[in-house]
Amino acid sequence: MEELAYTLNDKKGVEITYTIVQYASEDVFDFMPNGGTVRKAKKQNGKWVQLSGADTDPEILQELGGFMDRHHMHQEDGNQ
């Protein structure tokens, strides 16, 4: 299990910190905005989709998924 934090500004300029929890699969993760309710995302056909929880802006979801993709690339390169 890995737990990461990712901070971004939404379309209104409000800063949101997402806690991202990933278990065994690199293609699935749970995420919580500002410690809120748990949501789940999965990579399907090269794109991140939300599986459960309150609706998340698709652009934010892709940004979170891109962050996770970059994180895995760095791990594979040995740059943990």
Side-chain angles (χ1 to χ4, degrees):
M1 181 185 88
E2 276 190 286
E3 185 174 320
L4 304 167
Y6 186 72
T7 301
L8 56 84
N9 291 324
D10 69 8
K11 290 179 180 180
K12 296 177 184 176
V14 176
E15 185 176 273
I16 302 173
T17 299
Y18 286 87
T19 302
I20 302 170
V21 180
Q22 187 167 47
Y23 300 96
S25 174
E26 290 184 4
D27 291 336
V28 177
F29 63 85
D30 293 345
F31 61 103
M32 295 145 282
N34 292 334
T37 59
V38 175
R39 303 161 191 205
K40 185 177 289 292
K42 180 177 183 172
K43 195 169 197 177
Q44 294 179 340
N45 300 318
K47 185 174 181 178
W48 290 96
V49 296
Q50 186 170 339
L51 299 177
S52 65
D55 288 341
T56 301
D57 182 295
E59 290 178 25
I60 290 176
L61 182 59
Q62 295 312 307
E63 191 167 338
L64 292 171
F67 169 72
M68 294 305 292
D69 289 338
R70 291 186 301 277
H71 174 70
H72 294 301
M73 285 181 17
H74 286 291
Q75 281 187 324
E76 290 170 5
D77 291 340
N79 298 324
Q80 298 178 8

